[in-house]
């Protein structure tokens, strides 16, 4: 048997990392786009259904930040193969590995094959074919479509999987020397400690790197993994054969492109090179900075990789922020910007390269072009914001590098950079490393942990809520594996009717640790599908028995089932044990449902009005629909007051037209042909989408509840508009009855103000406010004059000359308020310090009175001295703190 010397080494030698020293002959001139196309067409010919890539943000999977493998969108089908609408599927899946458990961010640019964004080609079977079939299909694709020479290939199998070994040897006719048996840690795959699992077989390519022997793993590059999910692993480790075995395969597009194109580095393949050539051109348009050749190559690869990841994430509605996915995106963008700065690019980096990304990948992913303006706007805004942060952070670090002989950035300084200046800790690490310094990351993590605990302390119920949320998620997953489902009948309800009762029965029930019950009833009228709309509440009435009267239990909220089709109900069960098949009467809070319908329809009208006023580049970035208000996030520049009033006017005009709101079900392709807008962050079924149309106004894909006509949206009123992040605006608004109440409340406020200001009519209120403002300006001016007089004549009871750092300093103690009544004021202390600074510029001056302290230093006499730094040095010996 052929023996393979398996060194478990994941770091490729530096010569290979930078793509130097090795050149493989090109197997073909096939571009990445051609490989992607051939793969899809080949598996379509074999009976697979080609599906578009799922979103990078996983749907109904809170365990993942991003889709990081081709099988992620189909996890529920691997758990329940009978629920899959297709038995054979093929995809080219967009994936991101950055942040969380699966994080390749730090390696990007310095290794041949680490990426934040990559594509995974995959074909999947849910009980449709066996090992022999999938191995034959894979081998035929490798041989006939990719035309890879057999003598450059090897395969691995699990050492105990004799069936797979024999298929490769006897049916594929592969030389046994090219079949390597491996241990379970190498060739057995599972979803986790429990669940579907099974052996896998992998196909490897001989890189012909002569530094390694033929049996050395470091010479071989895995490019296709085929997993046979044939067992279920229980918590005690027992493997039980599955009644419906499945197959999961994955082949990285960037990796197979490097093989076919004869490259030793993924970044040398055609799609990456289009972007890198764009980086070269952009770099030449700025002042060239001398860099080590290998470092320069790494920076260009970082920019190219991060442009792909950030553009795709933004195109799907992820926006830079300080938490979760938004923070990962922010780190990616800022790493790219810094790499660009080190390449000498002082202007925009990612926005300037966007056309190169379109040229490389726009044909395969038209959303890059469709959402071009909104993506560039977000990237531009984030870069502009970071430019100030980068300059400030670099200035602080430069001073730190010049003052600390230990060459360690302390935990306190690292946290201050992160918390105060928005400087990511990994960026601090990179800059420190470039200067030969280290960062106290452990100390930083400890400080950050304490900060988070302090923030959580104000939310006393947080731990309990998290525990209950985990219980609910666990129970829903368990019910899913057992095929528990229900029919949602909530769309059949007119939201404007006064009441609604639905006769149902319990199909699943479980008590939660807080005394509530989690219940599934069938059919279920309660809405919980998301889309920004808050879930229904209401009640369940348990039918009377011979022994007890009917009981009505409050439904606190509805929780979407994993398949997204209906809801489970969180019920105040009063420790009542509800039995499966028990009849109940479900009643929805119709006032709440109607309020949500009003504001959801208003959200669609608002979106349409914004696009009319601000242009078609406006795209929805998120929404929240409540019974009494709405919140709408969108990509745009700031709106002027006139534009906001025009948006309001348009929504009210749409509402008063009493246009019918029509709901139809169609295919995704047909909906797009009719101009339907879709939310980036939602995943839609290709063969069945719900389209909500307001004639001549709006067409959107939406799962929410709506009015029958637009009339109920009137009146509509915007209550606030502002920025919530780079390139993203937010509008809060009210509509219908809620807007009437809001307007009545505003009228009451105006009446009260008019009464206080003695304005006889509301039309005279503004004049009264102006008069009051003018009076206040005069009083403030007079007060400032008297403050300066008081500061000049303030009684000093003691002075002390000293030195702070190298700055001569005089400390002045003023008489306390007890001996000089009505003279103790922080403004007086600050004014006295400024007076001394201007009249005695040769010294810094500290003025103290009671609990107030101020320090002032003349910037002309001491141009390099910061008053705040001097004051902090002084306060180390005193209680309190100050800003100078």
């Amino acid at each position: 048997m052929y023996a393979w010397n398996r060194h478990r080494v994941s770091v490729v030698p530096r010569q290979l990392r930078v793509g130097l020293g090795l050149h493989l002959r090109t197997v073909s001139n096939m571009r990445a786009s051609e490989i992607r196309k051939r793969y899809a067409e080949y598996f379509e010919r074999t009976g697979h259904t080609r599906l578009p890539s799922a979103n990078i943000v996983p749907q109904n999977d809170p365990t993942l930040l991003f889709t990081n493998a081709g099988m992620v969108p189909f996890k529920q089908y691997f758990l329940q193969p009978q629920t899959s609408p297709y038995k054979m599927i093929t995809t080219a899946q967009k994936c991101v590995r950055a942040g969380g458990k699966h994080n390749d961010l730090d390696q990007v640019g310095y290794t041949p094959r680490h990426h934040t964004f990559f594509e995974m080609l995959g074909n999947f079977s849910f009980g449709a074919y066996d090992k022999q079939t999938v191995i034959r299909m894979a081998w035929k694709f490798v041989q006939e479509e990719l035309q890879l020479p057999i003598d450059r290939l090897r395969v691995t199998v699990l050492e105990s999987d004799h069936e797979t070994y024999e298929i490769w040897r006897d049916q594929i006719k592969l030389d046994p020397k090219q079949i390597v048996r491996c241990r379970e840690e190498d060739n057995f795959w599972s979803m986790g400690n429990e669940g579907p699992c099974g052996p896998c077989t992998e196909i490897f390519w001989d890189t012909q790197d002569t530094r390694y022997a033929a049996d050395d793993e470091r010479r071989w590059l895995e490019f296709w993994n085929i997993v046979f999910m044939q067992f279920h692993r229980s918590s005690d480790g027992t493997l039980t054969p599955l009644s419906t075995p499945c197959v999961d395969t994955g082949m990285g597009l960037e990796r197979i492109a490097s093989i076919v194109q004869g490259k030793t580095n993924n970044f040398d393949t055609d799609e990456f090179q289009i972007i890198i050539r764009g980086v070269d051109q952009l770099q030449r348009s700025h002042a060239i900075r001398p860099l080590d050749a290998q470092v320069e190559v790494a920076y260009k690869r970082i920019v190219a990789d991060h442009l792909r990841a950030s553009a795709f994430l933004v195109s799907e509605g992820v926006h830079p922020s300080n938490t979760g996915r938004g923070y990962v995106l922010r780190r990616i963008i800022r790493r790219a910007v810094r790499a660009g700065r080190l390449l000498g690019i002082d202007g925009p980096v990612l926005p300037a390269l966007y056309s190169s990304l379109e040229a490389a990948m726009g044909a395969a992913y038209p959303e890059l072009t469709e959402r071009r303006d909104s993506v560039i706007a977000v990237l531009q805004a984030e870069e502009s914001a970071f430019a100030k942060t980068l300059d400030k952070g670099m200035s602080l670090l430069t001073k730190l590098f010049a003052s600390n002989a230990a060459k360690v950035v302390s935990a306190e300084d690292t946290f201050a950079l992160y918390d105060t200046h928005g400087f990511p800790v990994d960026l601090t690490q990179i800059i420190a490393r470039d200067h030969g310094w280290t960062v106290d990351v452990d100390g930083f993590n400890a400080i950050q942990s304490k900060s988070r605990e302090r923030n959580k302390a104000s939310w006393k119920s947080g731990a309990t809520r998290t525990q209950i949320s985990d219980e609910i998620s666990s129970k829903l997953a368990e019910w899913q594996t057992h095929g528990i489902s229900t029919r949602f009948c909530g769309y059949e309800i007119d939201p404007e009717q006064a009441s609604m009762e639905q006769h149902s029965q319990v199909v699943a029930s479980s008590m939660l640790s807080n005394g509530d019950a989690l219940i599934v009833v069938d059919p279920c009228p309660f809405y919980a599908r998301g889309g920004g709309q808050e879930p229904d509440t209401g009640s369940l009435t348990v039918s009377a028995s011979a022994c007890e009267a009917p009981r009505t239990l409050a439904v606190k909220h509805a929780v979407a089932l994993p398949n997204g089709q209906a809801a489970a109900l969180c019920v105040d069960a009063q420790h009542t044990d509800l039995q499966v098949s028990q009849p109940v009467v479900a009643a929805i809070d119709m006032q709440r449902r109607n309020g949500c319908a009003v504001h959801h329809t208003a959200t669609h009208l608002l979106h349409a009005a914004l696009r009319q006023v601000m242009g078609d580049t406006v795209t929805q970035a998120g929404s929240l629909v409540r019974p009494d208000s709405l919140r709408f996030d969108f990509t745009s520049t700031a709106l002027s007051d006139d534009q906001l009033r025009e948006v309001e006017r348009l929504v009210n005009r749409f509402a008063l037209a009493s246009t019918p709101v029509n709901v139809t079900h169609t295919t995704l392709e047909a909906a797009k042909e009719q101009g339907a807008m879709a939310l980036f962050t939602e995943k839609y079924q290709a063969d069945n989408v719900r389209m909500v149309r307001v004639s001549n106004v709006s067409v959107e894909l939406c799962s929410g509840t709506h009015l029958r006509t637009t009339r109920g949206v009137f009146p509509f009123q915007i209550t606030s508009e502002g920025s919530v992040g780079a390139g993203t605006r937010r509008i809060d608004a009210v509509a219908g009855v809620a807007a009437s109440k809001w307007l009545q409340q505003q009228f009451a406020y105006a009446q009260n103000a008019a009464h206080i200001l003695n304005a006889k009519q509301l039309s005279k209120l503004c004049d009264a406010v102006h008069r009051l403002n003018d009076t206040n300006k005069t009083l403030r001016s007079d007060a400032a004059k008297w403050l300066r007089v008081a500061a000049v004549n303030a009684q000093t009871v003691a002075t002390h000359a000293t030195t702070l750092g190298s700055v001569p300093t005089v400390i002045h103690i003023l008489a306390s308020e007890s001996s000089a009544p009505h003279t103790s004021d922080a403004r007086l202390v600050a004014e006295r310090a400024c007076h001394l600074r201007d009249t005695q510029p040769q010294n810094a001056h500290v003025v103290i009175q009671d609990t107030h302290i101020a320090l002032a230093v003349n910037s002309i006499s001491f141009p390099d001295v910061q008053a705040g730094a001097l004051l902090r040095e002084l306060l180390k010996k005193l209680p309190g703190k100050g800003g100078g």
Side-chain angles (χ1 to χ4, degrees):
M1 185 182 74
Y2 187 83
W4 193 343
N5 179 18
R6 295 185 68 87
H7 298 283
R8 303 309 299 168
V9 177
S10 60
V11 179
V12 180
R14 185 165 183 80
Q15 294 95 316
L16 199 56
R17 290 205 300 268
V18 297
L20 301 175
L22 289 174
H23 295 278
L24 306 181
R25 72 175 179 85
T26 302
V27 177
S28 73
N29 292 320
M30 199 180 300
R31 296 181 178 276
S33 58
E34 178 68 14
I35 298 172
R36 190 190 292 114
K37 178 174 177 286
R38 286 198 183 196
Y39 187 91
E41 291 177 348
Y42 172 80
F43 281 99
E44 276 190 308
R45 291 197 301 271
T46 61
H48 291 70
T49 299
R50 188 202 304 198
L51 295 181
S53 171
N55 287 345
I56 298 173
V57 177
Q59 304 299 301
N60 300 316
D61 190 347
T63 65
L64 293 174
L65 271 178
F66 304 110
T67 297
N68 55 34
M71 57 76 61
V72 167
F74 310 114
K75 284 173 69 172
Q76 69 184 61
Y77 300 150
F78 287 117
L79 292 168
Q80 290 181 277
Q82 70 275 11
T83 66
S84 174
Y86 312 103
K87 293 304 179 184
M88 297 189 294
I89 295 173
T90 184
T91 62
Q93 176 60 47
K94 299 176 290 187
C95 301
V96 167
R97 287 187 180 173
K101 177 182 177 182
H102 303 283
N103 184 8
D104 291 342
L105 188 57
D106 294 336
Q107 287 79 32
V108 171
Y110 299 98
T111 70
R113 280 171 256 286
H114 278 104
H115 305 293
T116 52
F117 173 90
F118 62 95
E119 295 177 76
M120 187 63 73
L121 306 176
N123 57 286
F124 312 93
S125 163
F126 306 100
Y129 48 69
D130 54 15
K131 293 181 179 181
Q132 175 182 328
T133 303
V134 68
I135 289 174
R136 283 185 175 277
M137 286 191 295
W139 194 248
K140 185 176 181 180
F141 181 80
V142 168
Q143 292 295 293
E144 297 183 6
E145 298 293 332
L146 300 182
Q147 300 180 8
L148 299 184
I150 294 178
D151 62 346
R152 298 279 294 276
L153 300 172
R154 298 286 187 272
V155 300
T156 62
V157 299
L158 182 66
E159 57 188 358
S160 61
D161 186 3
H162 305 298
E163 179 187 3
T164 301
Y165 180 88
E166 290 167 0
I167 292 172
W168 283 114
R169 184 193 64 189
D170 301 335
Q171 299 184 38
I172 304 301
K173 304 300 183 183
L174 195 61
D175 188 332
K177 292 182 178 179
Q178 294 175 269
I179 309 172
V180 182
R181 294 182 185 270
C182 297
R183 296 183 298 273
E184 185 171 311
E185 57 262 34
D186 299 311
N187 278 69
F188 194 92
W189 189 92
S190 63
M191 278 191 180
N193 295 329
E194 295 182 60
C197 59
C200 64
T201 184
E202 301 165 322
I203 306 177
F204 285 76
W205 171 254
D206 184 1
T207 65
Q208 295 186 336
D209 187 342
T210 56
R211 292 172 301 164
Y212 305 111
D215 64 346
D216 193 316
E217 182 188 9
R218 290 172 291 185
R219 174 167 166 156
W220 296 86
L221 177 65
E222 177 206 339
F223 67 90
W224 204 338
N225 187 17
I226 304 170
V227 180
F228 311 115
M229 294 194 191
Q230 60 190 81
F231 301 109
H232 183 277
R233 174 178 279 158
S234 59
S235 57
D236 62 3
T238 303
L239 297 180
T240 304
L242 293 172
S243 58
T244 307
C246 300
V247 174
D248 159 31
T249 79
M251 176 165 60
L253 176 61
E254 294 80 5
R255 184 168 293 200
I256 192 61
S258 71
I259 292 173
V260 171
Q261 296 173 19
K263 308 298 183 183
T264 62
N265 193 304
N266 292 359
F267 290 100
D268 293 334
T269 57
D270 64 297
E271 288 187 348
F272 269 113
Q273 280 300 301
I274 292 173
I275 302 173
I276 290 174
R277 285 195 294 271
V279 179
D280 290 336
Q281 294 176 357
L282 185 60
Q283 184 187 27
R284 285 195 292 271
S285 68
H286 293 77
I288 300 296
R289 294 183 181 178
L291 287 172
D292 175 85
Q294 294 183 4
V295 172
E296 183 175 4
V297 168
Y299 288 155
K300 290 179 180 179
R301 290 172 178 170
I302 289 171
V303 172
D305 174 274
H306 290 8
L307 170 62
R308 299 194 335 159
S310 57
F312 276 103
L313 286 171
V314 174
S315 77
E316 292 194 2
V318 181
H319 287 74
S321 68
N322 287 329
T323 59
R325 298 181 180 98
Y327 182 61
V328 175
L329 172 60
R330 172 160 285 169
R331 290 177 61 197
I332 292 172
I333 294 174
R334 293 185 171 192
R335 282 172 60 91
V337 173
R338 179 179 181 270
R341 293 290 185 272
L342 294 173
L343 289 170
I345 304 171
D346 293 327
V349 179
L350 300 183
L353 294 169
Y354 196 85
S355 59
S356 297
L357 175 64
E358 282 184 287
M361 306 184 73
Y365 297 102
E367 63 264 30
L368 290 175
T369 299
E370 293 168 0
R371 303 164 189 170
R372 182 182 201 275
D373 293 341
S374 59
V375 173
I376 289 178
V378 173
L379 297 177
Q380 181 69 64
E382 179 63 17
E383 282 202 22
S384 298
F386 181 55
K388 300 174 183 177
T389 298
L390 184 61
D391 292 341
K392 180 67 174 177
M394 286 300 301
S395 174
L396 294 172
L397 283 172
T398 299
K399 292 180 180 179
L400 189 64
F401 294 150
S403 63
N404 188 337
K407 292 193 172 184
V408 176
V409 182
S410 70
E412 292 77 13
D413 288 329
T414 304
F415 186 76
L417 283 165
Y418 166 81
D419 191 52
T420 305
H421 303 290
F423 217 66
V425 65
D426 62 312
L427 192 54
T428 301
Q429 287 179 278
I430 293 171
I431 296 171
R433 183 179 63 202
D434 290 346
H435 286 77
W437 280 50
T438 59
V439 175
D440 182 4
V441 177
D442 291 340
F444 166 81
N445 290 335
I447 295 175
Q448 187 180 41
S449 178
K450 291 179 181 178
S451 176
R452 287 171 175 167
E453 289 302 319
R454 286 194 298 270
N455 292 337
K456 289 179 181 178
S458 60
W459 185 25
K460 296 181 180 179
S461 62
T464 302
R465 293 187 186 185
T466 301
Q467 177 185 350
I468 298 301
S469 177
D470 290 344
E471 285 185 47
I472 291 173
S473 298
S474 176
K475 181 55 64 176
L476 293 181
E478 177 186 328
W479 284 344
Q480 182 183 18
T481 62
H482 290 89
I484 291 174
S485 62
T486 178
R487 181 179 70 87
F488 175 60
C489 60
Y491 290 142
E492 302 160 14
I493 303 167
D494 181 352
E496 297 184 53
Q497 68 188 60
S499 62
M500 190 291 308
E501 291 185 346
Q502 172 68 51
H503 291 272
S504 305
Q505 68 175 9
V506 177
V507 296
S509 176
S510 178
M511 295 300 296
L512 301 174
S513 61
N514 66 349
D516 290 346
L518 186 66
I519 299 171
V520 178
V521 299
D522 184 41
C524 178
F526 290 86
Y527 177 86
R529 291 189 63 183
Q533 180 174 328
E534 288 193 348
D536 283 334
T537 60
S539 65
L540 289 180
T541 299
V542 183
S543 300
S545 66
C547 302
E548 57 182 343
R551 289 164 297 144
T552 298
L553 310 177
V555 176
K556 294 182 175 180
H557 60 93
V559 183
L561 293 174
N563 62 11
Q565 299 305 307
L569 310 177
C570 288
V571 176
D572 183 1
Q574 302 168 10
H575 303 286
T576 300
D577 187 13
L578 297 179
Q579 302 298 320
V580 172
S581 300
Q582 187 167 1
V584 295
V585 177
I588 293 175
D589 181 341
M590 291 305 297
Q591 184 175 352
R592 178 183 175 87
R593 165 68 77 90
N594 182 58
C596 286
V598 166
H599 287 96
H600 209 144
T601 301
T603 298
H604 286 215
L605 302 185
L606 171 61
H607 192 184
L610 283 167
R611 289 172 68 87
Q612 283 196 30
V613 173
M614 302 300 291
D616 291 342
T617 58
V618 169
T619 53
Q620 182 175 347
S623 67
L624 177 62
V625 175
R626 296 191 179 107
D628 57 356
S629 65
L630 70 86
R631 174 175 291 169
F632 188 74
D633 293 348
F634 57 100
T635 57
S636 174
T637 56
L639 281 74
S640 67
D641 290 341
D642 288 342
Q643 288 171 326
L644 281 174
R645 299 291 77 79
E646 177 63 12
V647 169
E648 275 184 347
R649 188 190 69 79
L650 283 172
V651 174
N652 281 303
R653 192 187 79 187
F654 297 154
L656 289 173
S658 297
T659 305
V661 180
N662 297 312
V663 177
T664 57
H665 289 265
T666 184
T667 64
L668 180 60
E669 191 62 34
K672 289 182 177 180
E673 290 176 358
Q674 296 179 57
M677 289 186 292
L679 187 60
F680 301 163
T681 53
E682 292 290 336
K683 177 64 178 175
Y684 303 96
Q685 293 182 356
D687 58 349
N688 184 21
V689 295
R690 186 170 182 265
M691 186 168 66
V692 178
R693 177 190 294 275
V694 179
S695 295
N696 301 318
V697 176
S698 167
V699 185
E700 294 195 30
L701 301 184
C702 178
S703 64
T705 62
H706 288 270
L707 297 172
R708 298 295 172 87
T709 74
T710 61
R711 184 65 179 80
V713 170
F714 183 83
F716 174 84
Q717 179 71 41
I718 293 174
T719 58
S720 69
E721 189 276 339
S723 173
V724 291
T728 305
R729 311 294 297 180
R730 170 173 291 172
I731 282 179
D732 289 289
V734 287
V737 173
S740 296
K741 291 180 179 179
W742 185 89
L743 289 169
Q744 288 172 348
Q745 187 180 53
Q746 304 308 306
F747 183 74
Y749 291 153
Q751 283 185 315
N752 289 337
H755 177 73
I756 293 170
L757 295 175
N758 294 318
K760 303 300 183 182
Q761 299 175 344
L762 287 181
S763 58
K764 303 297 184 181
L765 181 59
C766 286
D767 292 337
V769 171
H770 285 310
R771 287 194 298 273
L772 178 62
N773 189 44
D774 291 341
T775 301
N776 282 339
K777 285 182 180 179
T778 301
L779 293 173
R780 284 196 297 268
S781 177
D782 291 343
K785 292 177 183 177
W786 285 110
L787 181 64
R788 286 192 291 273
V789 171
V792 171
N793 295 284
Q795 181 182 358
T796 301
V797 297
T799 58
H800 175 70
T802 186
T803 300
L804 292 178
S806 59
V807 179
T809 304
V810 179
I811 299 175
H812 308 261
I813 309 297
L814 301 185
S816 71
E817 199 271 343
S818 59
S819 60
H822 310 299
T823 63
S824 180
D825 188 295
R827 292 170 297 175
L828 173 67
V829 173
E831 187 66 34
R832 177 66 175 176
C834 292
H835 168 71
L836 293 167
R837 174 200 62 197
D838 297 337
T839 57
Q840 303 176 34
Q842 70 276 16
N843 297 313
H845 297 274
V846 178
V847 178
I848 301 173
Q849 184 187 52
D850 296 332
T851 59
H852 305 303
I853 183 170
L855 183 147
V857 60
N858 191 288
S859 59
I860 297 175
S861 301
F862 303 98
D864 298 324
V865 175
Q866 290 186 339
L870 286 181
L871 186 57
R872 283 192 293 273
E873 183 176 338
L874 174 63
L875 290 175
K876 289 177 182 178
K877 303 177 181 179
L878 299 172
K881 57 184 178 181

